[in-house]
């Protein structure tokens, strides 16, 4: 293992970066003929680039998603600015009159959500909160109360000035005319960026500041034989890819699967701290320089084996599956023996290594005990002593039980697998393996993992209307006894947009547990709480998911469909899985 802790990778699909990442410099001539050559931050015509931010209610907004609007309008907001009260009213009036523009406020100081909500109470305009300030710096936000207009196709600023001059600019844009007064001077309370000032006064060090961030958050995937498409294994590679690193940070595409950092505390939130984001972007702005003499990325070493916990005690070889180059494949069901298991053993960890991860999308599995037939129980119903054998999902990590926790794998048991493949244009063979690690012989762990899925099945599914950009569905499960919550896993398909989990406690209070604000079908991750959360018996866990069946969803197979429940990716599913551990020992509780 490297000297830095393994976490996540920066990018998974280079092609997707080119298609979605906003690298095109194209602009609409009618809008930018007067200002397309200006490239100084803060100037009209400056290309900010595409970006994404969460608003004060935790909802995700990606600017390129709004490319069907004439433009995006911003008002610079901070909580302490007294002059904003009148400006917000004038700004809201403009928003009510111009339906084809998207209106936001933006808080460049990354202020607390609750305080922002209080400051804008009564307004229905989302406030984007820039925790890392890298977007606000790129937009040149220097004055509280300033208004800006941004084109979501070219990612350039086309107007900036006081709210009093904004209406005229929007009229020009609505009429497809060049903005007659594109930059109007104004005065107001100045915004200061302390981190930027510090990083510019003392240049960011690659060896001291940047390389450790890349090593901890990116290099485990971006390395030779890693799952990412290029290796960040030295300074030259980091420098060469630095424009893309900036782009994926601005759009929150990488690290992958990142969740709302303001809700819960997770081992694998896959987010970079605001300080780390600032360090990387400021280093890139300074030219991505090298300050030697050694290169920490080049000195990283990696284990020779793919197995996360050393050589497994038992390896299950999944029968080879020949996958054709094209076509739609039905789910494949196979039953595999645990060859070599001659006695009952308690399982402490497992890992699924895909033979060809370009075609294997996901698996489900179930333990068939010795006395069972071939009918699989893919969604539960087994013994509380059953072991957890990890399935394969996009972005899956090896699974290790909590301390003194495990399940019993009985000799003679078999593993029922359901395999979902998608073709990729070439014929291939998937030969996957599952590694299993046991507790020492004679050791019996005291605790068991349990849980349930807030799943919507065909009998209670509501079909998603055509062209609906934000169709919500909900499902709840009840925790029957006092328990510790451990992890959450969402599953939807291409139209999945977001999923939140809430705890509705017996005393009537509600707590948000996790906010997967930007669900991505390519990264269906199991989010593990850093510290298990105690909830009382009778707590209702509710999953609230939303689907984007609009044309703005670039991954949408067909926005005109009334979308049913279905196993294939062009249909939809809704699974909100919750893992918990009962407070009482398994021996005292019986089956649940």
């Amino acid at each position: 293992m490297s000297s830095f802790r393994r976490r996540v990778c920066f990018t998974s699909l280079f092609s997707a970066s080119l298609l979605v990442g906003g690298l095109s410099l194209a602009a609409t001539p009618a809008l930018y003929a007067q200002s397309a050559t200006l490239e100084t931050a803060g100037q009209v015509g400056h290309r900010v680039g595409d970006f994404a931010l969460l608003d004060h209610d935790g909802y995700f907004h990606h600017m390129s998603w709004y490319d069907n609007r004439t433009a995006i309008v911003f008002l610079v907001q901070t909580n302490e600015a007294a002059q904003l009260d009148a400006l917000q009213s004038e700004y809201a009036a403009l928003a009510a009159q111009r339906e084809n523009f998207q209106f936001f406020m933006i808080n460049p100081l990354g202020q607390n959500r609750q305080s922002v909500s209080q400051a804008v109470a009564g307004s229905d305009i989302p406030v984007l909160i820039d925790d890392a300030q890298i977007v606000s710096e790129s937009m040149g936000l220097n004055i509280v109360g300033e208004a800006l207009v941004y084109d979501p196709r070219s990612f350039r600023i086309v107007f900036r000035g006081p709210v009093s001059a904004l209406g005229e600019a929007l009229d020009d844009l609505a009429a497809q005319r060049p903005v007659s007064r594109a930059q109007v001077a104004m005065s107001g309370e100045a915004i200061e960026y302390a981190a930027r000032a510090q990083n510019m006064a003392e240049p960011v060090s690659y060896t001291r500041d940047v390389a450790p961030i890349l090593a901890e958050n990116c290099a485990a995937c971006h390395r030779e034989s890693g799952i990412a498409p290029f290796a960040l294994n030295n300074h030259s590679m980091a420098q060469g890819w630095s424009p893309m690193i900036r782009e994926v940070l601005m759009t929150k595409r990488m690290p992958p699967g990142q969740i709302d950092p303001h809700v819960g505390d997770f081992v694998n939130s896959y987010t970079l701290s605001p300080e780390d984001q600032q360090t990387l972007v400021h280093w890139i702005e300074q030219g991505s320089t090298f300050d030697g003499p050694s290169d920490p990325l080049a000195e990283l070493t990696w284990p020779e084996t793919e197995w996360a916990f050393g050589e497994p005690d038992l390896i299950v070889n999944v029968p080879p599956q020949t996958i054709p180059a094209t076509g739609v494949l039905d789910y494949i069901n196979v039953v595999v023996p645990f060859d070599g298991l001659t006695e009952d053993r308690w399982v402490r960890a497992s890992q699924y290594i895909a033979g060809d991860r370009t075609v294997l999308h996901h698996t489900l599995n179930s333990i068939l005990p010795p006395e069972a037939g071939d009918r699989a129980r893919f969604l539960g119903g087994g013994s509380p002593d059953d072991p957890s054998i990890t399935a394969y999902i996009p972005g899956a990590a090896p699974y290790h039980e909590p301390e003194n926790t495990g399940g019993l794998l009985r000799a003679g048991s078999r593993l029922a697998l359901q395999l979902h493949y998608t073709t990729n244009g070439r014929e291939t063979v998937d030969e996957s393996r599952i590694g299993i690690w046991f507790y020492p012989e004679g050791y019996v762990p005291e605790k068991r993992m349990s849980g349930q899925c807030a799943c919507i099945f065909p009998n209670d599914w509501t079909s998603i209307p055509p062209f609906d950009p934000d169709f919500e569905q909900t499902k709840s499960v009840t925790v029957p006894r006092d328990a510790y919550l451990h992890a959450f896993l969402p599953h939807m398909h291409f139209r999945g947009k977001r999923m939140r989990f809430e705890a509705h406690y017996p005393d009537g209070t509600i707590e948000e547990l996790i906010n997967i604000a930007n669900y991505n079908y390519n990264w269906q991750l199991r989010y593990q709480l850093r510290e298990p959360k105690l909830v009382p018996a009778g707590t209702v866990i509710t999953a609230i998911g939303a689907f984007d069946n609009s044309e703005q969803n670039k991954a949408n197979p067909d926005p005109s469909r009334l979308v049913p429940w279905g196993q294939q990716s062009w249909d939809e599913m809704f699974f909100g899985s919750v893992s918990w551990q009962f407070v009482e020992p398994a021996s005292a509780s019986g089956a649940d």
Side-chain angles (χ1 to χ4, degrees):
M1 194 68 176
S2 72
S3 58
F4 296 94
R5 182 166 57 86
R6 182 187 188 278
R7 280 185 64 193
V8 296
C9 62
F10 246 109
T11 189
S12 60
L13 295 174
F14 178 56
S15 59
S17 301
L18 297 179
L19 291 172
V20 184
L23 300 182
S24 169
L25 297 179
T28 306
L31 299 183
Y32 311 115
Q34 298 177 338
S35 57
T37 60
L38 297 174
E39 293 297 329
T40 304
Q43 296 291 325
V44 168
H46 167 62
R47 187 177 187 279
V48 175
D50 194 10
F51 65 89
L53 290 170
L54 301 184
D55 68 23
H56 65 299
D57 290 321
Y59 293 104
F60 180 86
H61 300 275
H62 190 172
M63 297 306 103
S64 61
W65 191 88
Y66 296 99
D67 64 4
N68 63 339
R69 307 295 177 92
T70 301
I72 301 175
V73 190
F74 297 96
L75 174 66
V76 182
Q77 180 270 345
T78 61
N79 295 341
E80 298 77 21
Q83 75 272 24
L84 277 180
D85 290 341
L87 288 179
Q88 286 180 29
S89 298
E90 184 178 356
Y91 187 68
L94 288 169
Q97 298 164 7
R98 290 168 169 80
E99 293 183 356
N100 205 42
F101 292 85
Q102 176 64 40
F103 282 75
F104 292 113
M105 288 184 270
I106 184 168
N107 184 297
L109 303 181
Q111 291 179 301
N112 175 273
R113 280 184 187 171
Q114 184 176 2
S115 65
V116 171
S117 297
Q118 292 172 349
V120 299
S123 172
D124 60 359
I125 297 176
V127 183
L128 306 184
I129 300 181
D130 188 5
D131 293 329
Q133 303 183 336
I134 58 177
V135 170
S136 301
E137 291 173 2
S138 184
M139 294 177 74
L141 305 186
N142 296 314
I143 301 175
V144 178
E146 184 179 28
L148 297 92
V149 181
Y150 165 99
D151 188 280
R153 292 162 294 278
S154 70
F155 312 125
R156 295 176 185 270
I157 297 170
V158 299
F159 167 85
R160 66 187 313 146
V163 173
S164 59
L166 179 58
E168 178 185 347
L170 299 184
D171 289 341
D172 287 340
L173 292 171
Q176 298 186 339
R177 299 188 300 259
V179 177
S180 57
R181 292 198 301 158
Q183 187 144 348
V184 181
M186 66 172 289
S187 60
E189 181 183 337
I191 298 169
E192 297 181 356
Y193 299 99
R196 183 180 183 86
Q198 179 179 343
N199 286 336
M200 294 306 167
E202 180 181 354
V204 178
S205 164
Y206 166 77
T207 55
R208 182 187 68 241
D209 305 320
V210 172
I213 297 173
L214 298 179
E216 181 162 333
N217 297 277
C218 317
C221 296
H222 287 272
R223 59 185 175 92
E224 298 298 334
S225 302
I227 67 171
F230 58 87
L232 288 172
N233 53 7
N234 57 50
H235 166 264
S236 295
M237 291 297 290
Q239 184 180 55
W241 288 103
S242 60
M244 179 172 284
I245 293 173
R246 178 186 182 275
E247 184 266 332
V248 299
L249 287 174
M250 293 275 286
T251 58
K252 298 188 183 295
R253 287 195 302 115
M254 288 286 152
Q258 54 188 281
I259 57 176
D260 184 347
H262 297 274
V263 180
D265 184 15
F266 295 86
V267 174
N268 55 338
S269 65
Y270 299 123
T271 56
L272 289 179
S273 70
E275 294 76 17
D276 285 352
Q277 294 178 60
Q278 292 165 346
T279 296
L280 290 172
V281 170
H282 294 159
W283 173 71
I284 292 166
E285 290 177 350
Q286 293 169 9
S288 310
T289 57
F290 179 72
D291 57 348
S294 61
D295 186 341
L297 288 185
E299 296 171 355
L300 292 177
T301 58
W302 303 98
E304 296 180 2
T305 178
E306 295 180 274
W307 299 114
F309 312 114
E311 193 65 20
D313 297 312
L314 182 68
I315 296 176
V316 176
N317 293 304
V318 180
Q321 305 295 325
T322 299
I323 308 303
T326 59
V328 177
L329 306 182
D330 291 332
Y331 283 30
I332 298 171
N333 295 303
V334 298
V335 176
V336 186
F338 291 98
D339 288 336
L341 182 66
T342 59
E343 59 181 340
D344 299 354
R345 295 293 300 271
W346 291 90
V347 174
R348 64 180 176 91
S350 58
Q351 179 180 1
Y352 196 115
I353 295 181
D356 189 342
R357 56 179 172 260
T358 68
V359 294
L360 181 62
H361 184 263
H362 77 269
T363 71
L364 294 174
N365 67 48
S366 182
I367 302 294
L368 298 178
E371 66 276 9
D374 289 337
R375 182 172 178 81
R377 299 181 300 250
F378 290 116
L379 291 172
S383 164
D385 281 345
D386 279 353
S388 295
I389 305 296
T390 186
Y392 180 82
I393 54 176
Y399 176 71
H400 198 292
E401 295 277 12
E403 183 180 359
N404 199 21
T405 301
L408 183 65
L409 183 59
R410 296 165 57 194
S413 297
R414 292 168 297 158
L415 185 66
L417 287 161
Q418 186 184 80
L419 312 172
H420 180 196
Y421 291 99
T422 56
T423 56
N424 66 1
R426 62 176 179 84
E427 182 176 313
T428 185
V429 177
D430 172 61
E431 297 184 75
S432 297
R433 297 168 294 155
I434 304 171
I436 301 173
W437 289 263
F438 299 127
Y439 281 100
E441 290 188 34
Y443 181 87
V444 178
E446 296 177 358
K447 302 176 183 179
R448 310 285 178 264
M449 285 299 296
S450 187
Q452 204 169 338
C453 181
C455 298
I456 299 177
F457 292 107
N459 60 333
D460 58 352
W461 174 262
T462 303
S463 293
I464 303 169
F467 303 108
D468 194 318
D470 196 68
F471 183 73
E472 281 195 352
Q473 301 209 54
T474 66
K475 190 69 174 180
S476 299
V477 295
T478 300
V479 183
R481 300 195 310 279
D482 293 355
Y484 289 98
L485 302 182
H486 279 257
F488 307 89
L489 190 154
H491 174 77
M492 299 181 281
H493 291 168
F494 289 129
R495 296 171 179 84
K497 183 176 184 178
R498 65 175 182 271
M499 187 176 288
R500 295 183 175 197
F501 290 76
E502 295 176 345
H504 295 245
Y505 295 116
D507 65 2
T509 59
I510 300 174
E511 180 182 8
E512 190 169 18
L513 300 171
I514 185 171
N515 175 20
I516 302 101
N518 181 33
Y519 173 84
N520 187 331
Y521 186 47
N522 293 314
W523 298 99
Q524 298 175 46
L525 304 173
R526 181 180 187 272
Y527 297 98
Q528 184 81 33
L529 282 163
R530 193 175 304 279
E531 296 293 336
K533 183 177 185 60
L534 178 63
V535 297
T539 297
V540 176
I541 308 297
T542 299
I544 304 123
F547 299 88
D548 180 0
N549 195 27
S550 73
E551 293 178 310
Q552 294 308 104
N553 177 1
K554 304 303 187 289
N556 193 346
D558 182 1
S560 67
R561 286 187 72 207
L562 180 67
V563 184
W565 188 98
Q567 291 186 326
Q568 296 293 349
S569 301
W570 53 78
D571 296 325
E572 274 300 337
M573 290 183 177
F574 181 114
F575 293 170
S577 296
V578 187
S579 299
W580 61 66
Q581 190 173 70
F582 292 121
V583 172
E584 297 178 4
S587 59
S589 63
D592 277 290

